[in-house]
Amino acid sequence: MEPNTISEKTSNDEEIVSNKGSTTVADTDDVENANNNQKTFVKSKAEKKLVRKIILTVMPLVLWISTLQFADKSSLSVAPVLGIFPDIHLTGSQFSWLGSIFFIGHLVCQPINNILLQKLPVGRLCGFCVLIWGSITLGIGYCRTFSQLLAARFLLGVFEGNSLPSVYLIVNTLFRRSEQATYYGYITLANGLGIMFQILVAYGILHMGDQRGITMWRWIQIIFGSMTMLLGVLCFFFLVDNPKSPLLRLTEEEKAITDERIRDNAVVRHKKLKWDQILESVLEIRFWCICLATLGISMQGGGLATYNIIIMSGIGTFTTGETILLKLPSGALMSLAVVVATVLAQRARQLCYSAIFTCLLSFAGCIMLATANQTAVKLLGLYLTVFWSGSYSILTAIIGANVSGYTKKIFYNGSLVVCMTVGNFIGPLIMLERQAPRYIGGMTAFCIGNGVALVCFVLMRFVMQRANADRLSNPPAKPTDITLDLTDKQDRNIIYRL
């Protein structure tokens, strides 16, 4: 149930909510439910104003981080049609390694990043890493050999590895559990915007040509690197990571509401690393379901993101400009997938079922790519594969809504990013050059990955539903003291969102 928030029905069927001694009357449209088994609560007008303030202060920077993070790391996918192969004298296998090495850097980052997130201000740490990765992206535009590119892509992965865990933790900290699915969705939706932005920039560069003796593929690195460095400076000084940050300019009433919101989302910053919370995580079936599902759907995310333009070129006879523009719907559909998954999760109040739906669409796309011969069908299949992003956004929401304990939440988020990294690393390597243009081995692996994810979503929902039934039949006698930093397993007041 929602701590310290009690809902009652009046004779007029209006919702009256007690929140730290005050009462608020609202229409049923303003009521949010944790799930079908939980009591309801209503946001007051003051809380809605506070949420708008948080959104306007925090989300623009968070969304730009997510947009440029995806644009920077996937800018390699458009490089083949902008001249990277003849310029650097790359082979197909070397190109695969440039796609995969990024994720090795990402993986190396995670253990260190988990400790730094516990010890340092999240906003300052994130801003510093964004600034450094922007400078590395800029530097990639000046690489002359394969070995230089390989080293730069590795370092890019190391510093970009901080961004997603940081923004996930910021959303965990600033928003109620019932709000988090929406804002996790926005973060993943920004990845689709990153693809669209990248494609439009690439198309413009294609018409610009090799200006000032600089090859076209280098210009896209220079442009995105410069933008990212500017974003890093802004994040270092202005990215809010604390619900009581001076940058939010809270009134006394808003401070009281913030205390209630902190109790609801059960995220209170602790600098001490609690190894017992990590041990509790690795012993949970749900943890391994999240890890395996993330690994399964991320393989195609990495493989198809790197080879998207190459696959597109093999589907039909297109000009270079047409090939670039045909990637544009992939970005739009990636954003649409997140919207579909998020809306379904909100309307049906079912996180796992929403993820299963988008995972099935992605599964269908992989099958079409592997088996179809017609150009239109293969193109449709390629577009459907991006619906993995809807399932991924729900995975982040499941962690945000159902995992408590500061160290445990950081560990879950870090593990999700590790598994996403491993999947993205494997993806390009199983796209074997000798199997082009159908890439049967890769498509088969992607189908298996989607199948594993589907099983994990079903099992995870069953485990959490069984825990809910036990807690609702034997509810605790008093509310939880959030300063104790209890995990969701220890805090029986928490009802899992399914």
Side-chain angles (χ1 to χ4, degrees):
M1 68 177 65
E2 304 295 340
N4 289 346
T5 309
I6 305 167
S7 175
E8 301 174 348
K9 290 280 186 180
T10 67
S11 58
N12 294 323
D13 288 328
E14 292 175 315
E15 291 289 331
I16 299 183
V17 176
S18 172
N19 186 353
K20 294 183 71 65
S22 64
T23 20
T24 305
V25 180
D27 295 327
T28 55
D29 287 343
D30 296 325
V31 179
E32 298 183 52
N33 294 308
N35 58 41
N36 292 334
N37 296 320
Q38 288 183 276
K39 292 184 179 181
T40 58
F41 70 93
V42 179
K43 288 180 186 173
S44 65
K45 290 183 179 179
E47 181 169 357
K48 289 179 181 178
K49 182 180 177 181
L50 172 61
V51 172
R52 285 194 294 270
K53 182 187 290 187
I54 294 171
I55 292 170
L56 292 174
T57 306
V58 178
M59 292 309 293
L61 288 176
V62 166
L63 294 180
W64 263 112
I65 290 171
S66 186
T67 298
L68 287 181
Q69 183 257 353
F70 205 85
D72 286 352
K73 76 177 181 183
S74 64
S75 59
L76 184 69
S77 67
V78 297
V81 293
L82 295 178
I84 191 173
F85 275 88
D87 192 28
I88 305 294
H89 307 292
L90 290 179
T91 65
S93 61
Q94 286 176 332
F95 183 73
S96 293
W97 271 105
L98 289 179
S100 291
I101 195 68
F102 170 90
F103 297 102
I104 295 179
H106 222 277
L107 191 61
V108 168
C109 167
Q110 296 315 310
I112 303 168
N113 189 51
N114 281 357
I115 295 172
L116 293 177
L117 286 175
Q118 189 97 37
K119 303 289 185 181
L120 300 176
V122 178
R124 293 291 176 89
L125 175 63
C126 184
F128 172 78
C129 290
V130 171
L131 177 63
I132 299 300
W133 112 49
S135 65
I136 294 169
T137 302
L138 182 64
I140 287 175
Y142 295 93
C143 290
R144 297 295 173 184
T145 66
F146 168 68
S147 57
Q148 290 174 354
L149 274 174
L150 200 67
R153 288 280 297 176
F154 172 80
L155 291 174
L156 184 65
V158 170
F159 286 95
E160 276 199 32
N162 164 268
S163 60
L164 284 180
S166 293
V167 297
Y168 292 158
L169 192 57
I170 287 171
V171 170
N172 287 164
T173 304
L174 297 178
F175 293 98
R176 283 189 184 269
R177 292 197 302 143
S178 59
E179 299 164 348
Q180 289 173 13
T182 299
Y183 298 104
Y184 283 127
Y186 288 157
I187 291 169
T188 311
L189 183 148
N191 290 342
L193 298 179
I195 291 178
M196 296 168 69
F197 182 51
Q198 171 206 103
I199 292 302
L200 293 174
V201 171
Y203 189 71
I205 290 172
L206 180 67
H207 288 277
M208 181 180 76
D210 298 340
Q211 293 290 324
R212 299 182 180 273
I214 300 174
T215 316
M216 290 183 291
W217 75 269
R218 298 180 186 277
W219 274 112
I220 198 167
Q221 306 296 328
I222 294 169
I223 292 169
F224 284 142
S226 302
M227 293 179 64
T228 305
M229 290 177 69
L230 175 60
L231 176 64
V233 173
L234 293 175
C235 288
F236 187 85
F237 291 105
F238 300 112
L239 182 58
V240 173
D241 58 6
N242 186 316
K244 293 189 175 181
S245 169
L247 290 171
L248 291 174
R249 305 175 303 281
L250 299 179
T251 64
E252 290 304 315
E253 181 183 19
E254 288 173 339
K255 288 178 182 178
I257 295 171
T258 298
D259 289 335
E260 172 58 35
R261 290 171 63 83
I262 292 172
R263 274 190 288 273
D264 176 40
N265 64 20
V267 178
V268 179
R269 182 176 174 83
H270 289 266
K271 293 189 176 182
K272 181 181 177 182
L273 191 66
K274 297 187 178 180
W275 291 102
D276 59 310
Q277 293 191 6
I278 294 176
L279 178 62
E280 179 180 302
S281 299
V282 298
L283 293 177
E284 292 178 342
I285 295 174
R286 178 186 59 176
F287 173 79
W288 295 107
C289 285
I290 288 174
C291 287
L292 288 173
T294 304
L295 178 64
I297 62 177
S298 295
M299 286 194 299
Q300 72 192 58
L304 296 179
T306 302
Y307 277 82
N308 188 286
I309 292 289
I310 293 176
I311 293 172
M312 198 82 73
S313 300
I315 288 176
T317 306
F318 305 116
T319 66
T320 301
E322 288 171 343
T323 302
I324 291 175
L325 289 178
L326 279 171
K327 191 183 175 186
L328 201 58
S330 293
L333 286 170
M334 181 177 281
S335 298
L336 177 63
V338 175
V339 172
V340 168
T342 303
V343 170
L344 278 176
Q346 288 180 330
R347 297 289 174 86
R349 306 197 184 282
Q350 297 290 340
L351 291 172
C352 292
Y353 287 157
S354 301
I356 287 170
F357 175 72
T358 51
C359 193
L360 285 171
L361 291 176
S362 175
F363 199 168
C366 290
I367 293 173
M368 291 164 70
L369 270 180
T371 59
N373 293 316
Q374 300 91 338
T375 297
V377 177
K378 289 182 76 70
L379 197 57
L380 176 61
L382 185 60
Y383 290 150
L384 282 178
T385 58
V386 300
F387 273 81
W388 67 268
S389 61
S391 300
Y392 180 79
S393 71
I394 295 297
L395 280 167
T396 62
I398 288 171
I399 293 175
N402 295 318
V403 178
S404 65
Y406 196 72
T407 298
K408 185 175 181 180
K409 193 176 285 284
I410 289 176
F411 182 72
Y412 256 82
N413 280 329
S415 299
L416 176 123
V417 174
V418 166
C419 292
M420 180 200 69
T421 299
V422 173
N424 277 277
F425 169 73
I426 294 171
L429 294 180
I430 58 179
M431 302 289 282
L432 303 178
E433 190 174 6
R434 66 176 182 270
Q435 295 180 343
R438 201 179 287 271
Y439 296 105
I440 292 296
M443 296 308 154
T444 301
F446 300 157
C447 288
I448 293 171
N450 277 289
V452 169
L454 288 169
V455 172
C456 289
F457 284 123
V458 172
L459 179 57
M460 180 166 40
R461 189 183 189 284
F462 171 76
V463 170
M464 291 191 293
Q465 187 177 41
R466 188 171 61 177
N468 283 353
D470 177 60
R471 294 181 180 193
L472 290 168
S473 61
N474 299 286
K478 55 183 181 180
T480 303
D481 180 358
I482 59 164
T483 61
L484 297 177
D485 189 33
L486 298 179
T487 66
D488 54 277
K489 184 176 181 180
Q490 296 165 335
D491 183 3
R492 291 181 59 84
N493 275 309
I494 290 179
I495 300 299
Y496 295 117
R497 297 172 190 273
L498 306 178

